[in-house]
Amino acid sequence: MFHASFDTGRFPKLDGPDQKQAKRDYIAKHVGPRPLALIEEARRLDFDNGGPERLMKDGVPANHRDGLFMALTHEVDDLMDGGLVLAPKYGSSIEERSRCCAALARQLDEEQLAQTIEAHAERYASYAWMQGLEVEKLSGYSVVPHWRSYLRLRRSARRGANIKVY
């Protein structure tokens, strides 16, 4: 699946002012126009925070069946490793989100996908111990490729900034 290609894909140096279009062109050339269309269709569904809940309330656009299927299979990928406990990018209620995702899968007549989503969502109750691993004082991270920047960040951390440097 190429669902994250726009966000995290590694592309060769792309020239031109419109990087999004350059990425689209690259994907279409190397993977094909149909996968590119699926990627864009899934992205248009806006499946991030509250997306499945909104789609359950408002309904799924008629021509987005394939994009919805792709977004739901990506949801399984996100649920599989328990990572949403440590990085709840979809809000506080994994249970409600998963319930909506399973219902959307059933609207697509994908019972096995719905059951897979439900099974992975049930496992989250056993992941509660992982929440103790979160470090609340940190607000994010920075990748520092340059030693001067590294030293600057270390100095800021010593002065009390909300930064941890490894």
Side-chain angles (χ1 to χ4, degrees):
M1 287 177 35
F2 297 98
H3 61 273
S5 59
F6 288 112
D7 300 331
T8 59
R10 291 182 176 219
F11 293 88
K13 184 176 178 181
L14 299 173
D15 295 325
D18 189 355
Q19 292 297 306
K20 287 182 181 181
Q21 186 58 47
K23 287 180 180 182
R24 284 186 190 98
D25 294 343
Y26 185 88
I27 292 169
K29 177 181 175 187
H30 290 87
V31 183
R34 179 67 178 138
L36 175 63
L38 285 172
I39 293 166
E40 291 179 335
E41 183 179 327
R43 288 172 59 95
R44 277 193 298 274
L45 285 174
D46 188 24
F47 219 66
D48 283 341
N49 293 333
E53 296 87 344
R54 180 184 39 76
L55 290 171
M56 281 298 298
K57 182 179 140 204
D58 300 341
V60 179
N63 60 342
H64 282 70
R65 185 192 191 295
D66 292 338
L68 178 58
F69 181 79
M70 189 171 187
L72 290 169
T73 56
H74 177 82
E75 191 74 11
V76 172
D77 178 50
D78 282 348
L79 287 167
M80 282 178 61
D81 64 359
L84 294 183
V85 172
L86 296 175
K89 64 181 180 178
Y90 297 131
S92 59
S93 177
I94 294 170
E95 291 175 17
E96 177 63 15
R97 180 179 177 88
S98 297
R99 185 188 66 73
C100 290
C101 286
L104 289 167
R106 287 190 173 96
Q107 287 180 15
L108 297 176
D109 294 323
E110 296 288 347
E111 183 61 30
Q112 186 174 3
L113 177 59
Q115 290 176 9
T116 301
I117 291 168
E118 290 169 340
H120 285 297
E122 284 177 19
R123 291 176 44 207
Y124 270 82
S126 67
Y127 290 148
W129 64 270
M130 291 176 71
Q131 291 175 338
L133 299 176
E134 285 187 285
V135 179
E136 294 180 24
K137 76 174 199 168
L138 299 178
S139 61
Y141 65 92
S142 295
V143 176
V144 183
H146 192 274
W147 69 272
R148 285 185 198 139
S149 297
Y150 172 78
L151 292 175
R152 230 182 353 253
L153 286 174
R154 282 192 54 103
R155 193 175 315 119
S156 295
R158 281 194 301 254
R159 292 180 182 157
N162 193 14
I163 297 170
K164 183 142 185 152
V165 180
Y166 294 96

